Amino acid sequence: MSEKSVGEMSFEEAMKALEAVVNRLESGDVPLEESISLYERGAALKAHCQAKLREAEEKVAQITLDGEGKPTGTTPVDPE
Amino acid sequence: MDLIDDPTPGQNAHEYTVSEISGAVKRVIEGEFGRVRVRGEVGRVFRARSGHLYYDVKDDRNVLACTTWKGQLANLSVMPEEGLEVVVTGRLTTFGAQSKYNLNVEEVTVAGVGALMAMLEKRKKALEAEGLFDPARKKPLPYLPEIIGVVTSPSGAVIRDILHRLRDRFPRKVLIWPVAVQGQNCAPEVANAIRGFNALTPGGALPRPDVIIVARGGGSIEDLWGFNEEIVARAAAESGIPLISAVGHETDTTLIDYVSDRRAPTPTAAAEMAVPVRLELLAWVDGQEARLSRALGRGIADRRQRLTDLSRILPRPEALLSEPRQRLDRAEAALPTALLRLVDRRGADLARMGGALRPSVLSARIRTDRDRLATWEARLAPGLTRGIRQGAERLEALGRRLRPAPLAERVARQRVDLERISPRLETTYRARLAKLSDRLDALDRMRQTLGYKETLQRGYAVVRAGDAVVTDAEAARAAGRIEIEFRDGRVEAQAGGAARPKGKAKPPEQGSLF
């Protein structure tokens, strides 16, 4: 499994990779040494997914426009 | 027939000028009708370079010329399109310069829902024919977008619904691009917003969104009409960012719904499409972690079990080693005897080979070689003598062939030739000599006629100073002593008073002239 490092993955990529690792490990036909490195990779992917999920932050802004409809900046919006 | 209008009784009616009657008609028409609404089908439409719009509204028998000035165009809620059934509202007026009347239209509305739907159907067909609705064009939505762009009215329930649902599922960064969601400005603003979001740079101060939601609440077909405009549909089709449309209620399908990547029945549903549920994902991740640990644990437990099973059926080490040990013992016992026997055998081999090696073998060989050498030596001298004799015989044969007769014959023949040729040489030589002598005499005569001596015959003289000929008085004065040659001889003289006497006179000269 040669692919990009866990830290560079999007949430969706990490999710798919984690699922693949779990399935492979559960299949039971993995050599012992590999099963340990798989477990470690799975743990890293899980941590990455959790970090991405914790990043959930709400921030709402409204674009301000000039007379010609071109964006000039933003003003914060209170979603309530 | 009267050529001149001569008022006669009964013909004394008021006489208008053209402008007067034109003005009067204008007053009547504008006064009588004022603001009117007229229903008809749009005919030919012409937009002048000035920006004004000229078009006809007609029924099956008559045509009404309509105008909308450039400044009024922005206020029209529907642009007149040929074939569209409309109700136009405006003021009737006249155009005296062409004896015409027309309606200055301030507002155009589509006459009835049927006509509006017919127009929509026409546009839909045109865009479909271009392939804008092709399912292959539709882009997948990102699973978890970082930034969500929302094109809608910044006030109202729609944006609130979207933000609430996003917060419930997965709080994200949201950029709202405010637009009018109905009226004349709706379509251009929505199209501009979609293009504007696409023009932003990812990660910039204004970051480019990963997904766009175009949303509007429910309303009448006229309210939603902006989302049926072609510019909106085209902007949505061109969007590089995946786009979710959520306009009106589920039953209202607008043109943008056909070109968007996903159509949401409501704005809330659009928010649900845009992001997954965070808590579910957290639970899923936890579940994966549990499966991971369980799988690893089971993998180790399985192996331990197998190890136990295998070790049970493994034979005892003593049993495995007993046979090899016996073989070792036997071999060890046999070793000294085997070594002695080997030494014996090698000794015998050596003795056999040494016996064969004696001096008599070598001397026999030397004798053979010496005999061969003697044979060759005996053959050498006779061979040489024979070679010399053969060479002498060949030389003698060649000598016999070499005789003087042919040479003498050749010498005699050539001598005859020489004797024949010699007299001719003499004759030719003499003739040539005589000719050259004649030519020399002729040249000498020529020389004498051209020489200065002939000139002396005519009374001239040549003056010399030493070897040089003097040709002017200056040179003569400078020379002093001079010599004058006449026809019959030479005289020495002193030139001028400045002359110095000279010791000895120069001897007369003959020969070279200059």
Side-chain angles (χ1 to χ4, degrees):
Chain A
M1 288 210 275
S2 61
E3 48 209 31
K4 59 171 148 178
S5 73
V6 172
E8 290 169 353
M9 286 185 177
S10 71
F11 177 80
E12 193 183 2
E13 285 169 332
M15 209 170 93
K16 283 188 175 147
L18 177 56
E19 198 158 30
V21 164
V22 170
N23 285 337
R24 182 140 167 65
L25 203 57
E26 280 182 339
S27 75
D29 58 359
V30 185
L32 190 63
E33 287 78 5
E34 197 186 331
S35 73
I36 289 166
S37 64
L38 268 177
Y39 177 83
E40 282 168 350
R41 182 172 167 79
L45 287 165
K46 186 218 80 179
H48 186 62
C49 283
Q50 275 178 336
K52 286 269 176 195
L53 292 176
R54 282 201 205 93
E55 271 171 20
E57 176 205 10
E58 184 185 64
K59 201 167 144 194
V60 181
Q62 181 178 328
I63 289 177
T64 50
L65 300 167
D66 64 13
E68 291 174 346
K70 297 263 177 273
T72 53
T74 58
T75 53
V77 170
D78 179 10
E80 286 306 323
Chain B
M1 194 166 70
D2 293 332
L3 286 177
I4 297 172
D5 185 27
D6 194 9
T8 53
Q11 276 193 318
N12 58 353
H14 178 70
E15 188 181 84
Y16 291 97
T17 65
V18 172
S19 290
E20 277 169 2
I21 191 70
S22 180
V25 168
K26 192 182 195 79
R27 277 192 298 281
V28 168
I29 285 183
E30 290 184 352
E32 185 66 26
F33 295 99
R35 201 174 146 85
V36 290
R37 298 177 71 228
V38 183
R39 178 178 182 140
E41 186 193 324
V42 177
R44 188 186 55 85
V45 180
F46 171 69
R47 187 175 210 138
R49 208 122 46 119
S50 58
H52 306 318
L53 197 68
Y54 299 91
Y55 48 103
D56 295 337
V57 171
K58 61 186 182 182
D59 59 17
D60 51 356
R61 275 180 300 169
N62 292 292
V63 172
L64 174 65
C66 296
T67 56
T68 300
W69 309 128
K70 188 181 174 183
Q72 298 171 305
L73 279 175
N75 299 323
L76 298 187
S77 50
V78 176
M79 286 301 281
E81 258 178 59
E82 191 165 350
L84 190 62
E85 194 73 21
V86 291
V87 176
V88 291
T89 307
R91 291 177 189 281
L92 208 55
T93 182
T94 63
F95 183 47
Q98 283 186 349
S99 187
K100 282 184 175 166
Y101 71 96
N102 61 59
L103 186 68
N104 176 237
V105 177
E106 296 153 358
E107 172 63 316
V108 180
T109 52
V110 175
V113 171
L116 209 54
M117 293 319 284
M119 185 169 79
L120 178 58
E121 206 53 38
K122 209 173 103 190
R123 278 183 197 161
K124 218 166 85 183
K125 284 215 169 67
L127 294 184
E128 190 166 19
E130 280 185 41
L132 294 193
F133 303 166
D134 189 348
R137 284 181 56 100
K138 302 206 181 292
K139 296 173 283 299
L141 303 183
Y143 187 80
L144 179 56
E146 296 282 330
I147 299 159
I148 299 164
V150 183
V151 177
T152 191
S153 164
S155 56
V158 170
I159 186 63
R160 264 205 318 279
D161 286 351
I162 291 175
L163 293 176
H164 283 163
R165 188 48 61 97
L166 287 178
R167 177 186 290 173
D168 291 346
R169 290 172 68 87
F170 207 128
R172 296 277 76 181
K173 295 196 183 73
V174 178
L175 272 178
I176 303 168
W177 193 301
V179 292
V181 290
Q182 65 189 69
Q184 297 86 356
N185 292 334
C186 172
E189 285 187 16
V190 170
N192 178 56
I194 294 171
R195 295 207 172 94
F197 267 144
N198 273 283
L200 298 178
T201 35
L206 265 179
R208 188 177 192 252
D210 304 307
V211 66
I212 298 176
I213 298 174
V214 178
R216 191 209 188 282
S220 69
I221 186 165
E222 289 85 1
D223 289 343
L224 302 183
W225 195 253
F227 297 89
N228 282 324
E229 292 292 354
E230 198 177 326
I231 47 166
V232 171
R234 286 197 184 281
E238 284 163 15
S239 175
I241 305 172
L243 187 143
I244 304 171
S245 66
V247 176
H249 295 301
E250 183 153 18
T251 47
D252 307 320
T253 304
T254 52
L255 206 53
I256 192 175
D257 293 325
Y258 292 99
V259 292
S260 63
D261 297 304
R262 286 288 292 277
R263 188 215 166 184
T266 60
T268 305
E272 287 169 2
M273 284 177 186
V275 293
V277 180
R278 180 171 163 265
L279 287 175
E280 285 175 13
L281 289 175
L282 278 169
W284 181 86
V285 169
D286 287 346
Q288 296 294 311
E289 188 186 19
R291 280 173 67 189
L292 200 62
S293 302
R294 212 179 315 123
L296 185 71
R298 204 180 55 230
I300 291 171
D302 286 356
R303 284 181 172 84
R304 183 170 295 140
Q305 183 60 48
R306 266 188 80 201
L307 184 64
T308 317
D309 294 349
L310 287 171
S311 62
R312 203 169 292 141
I313 59 167
L314 205 63
R316 290 198 331 279
E318 294 80 24
L320 284 175
L321 290 177
S322 62
E323 196 196 321
R325 187 171 290 146
Q326 277 178 34
R327 279 175 58 203
L328 178 65
D329 287 347
R330 213 168 44 241
E332 197 179 11
L335 190 62
T337 350
L339 193 62
L340 284 177
R341 208 180 303 137
L342 182 70
V343 169
D344 283 353
R345 202 164 66 231
R346 289 282 136 97
D349 287 352
L350 180 63
R352 196 171 65 245
M353 287 176 174
L357 189 69
R358 276 165 322 195
S360 60
V361 177
L362 200 62
S363 40
R365 192 141 174 214
I366 291 172
R367 203 176 309 122
T368 319
D369 285 353
R370 189 175 291 148
D371 289 352
R372 278 176 64 200
L373 181 63
T375 317
W376 285 110
E377 201 174 14
R379 283 170 65 185
L380 185 64
L384 201 61
T385 321
R386 193 164 59 245
I388 291 170
R389 196 167 56 239
Q390 276 170 5
E393 282 167 4
R394 274 187 70 204
L395 178 64
E396 207 173 318
L398 286 172
R400 277 195 298 276
R401 282 169 62 191
L402 186 68
R403 280 171 298 121
L407 267 179
E409 192 182 321
R410 197 160 162 206
V411 168
R413 201 165 59 235
Q414 302 229 349
R415 187 170 291 142
V416 173
D417 284 355
L418 178 63
E419 276 165 9
R420 198 174 66 241
I421 290 165
S422 296
R424 275 168 63 192
L425 180 64
E426 180 76 5
T427 331
T428 311
Y429 167 69
R430 280 188 202 291
R432 180 139 181 90
L433 199 61
K435 213 156 105 197
L436 286 172
S437 176
D438 290 351
R439 222 173 128 206
L440 183 62
D441 291 345
L443 282 171
D444 191 50
R445 278 195 299 279
M446 176 80 80
R447 182 186 63 78
Q448 278 172 12
T449 53
L450 293 176
Y452 78 101
K453 300 254 175 166
E454 290 303 314
T455 313
L456 296 183
Q457 295 297 335
R458 294 206 299 272
Y460 292 89
V462 175
V463 180
R464 288 188 180 83
D467 287 343
V469 175
V470 176
T471 54
D472 53 29
E474 184 65 32
R477 268 194 297 278
R481 193 160 188 84
I482 57 174
E483 188 188 63
I484 302 163
E485 183 182 6
F486 296 101
R487 160 176 58 189
D488 51 351
R490 297 186 184 207
V491 175
E492 288 194 352
Q494 186 73 33
R500 283 176 301 154
K502 247 196 161 174
K504 66 177 181 195
K506 270 204 153 209
E509 259 181 47
Q510 299 287 343
S512 169
L513 296 177
F514 300 105

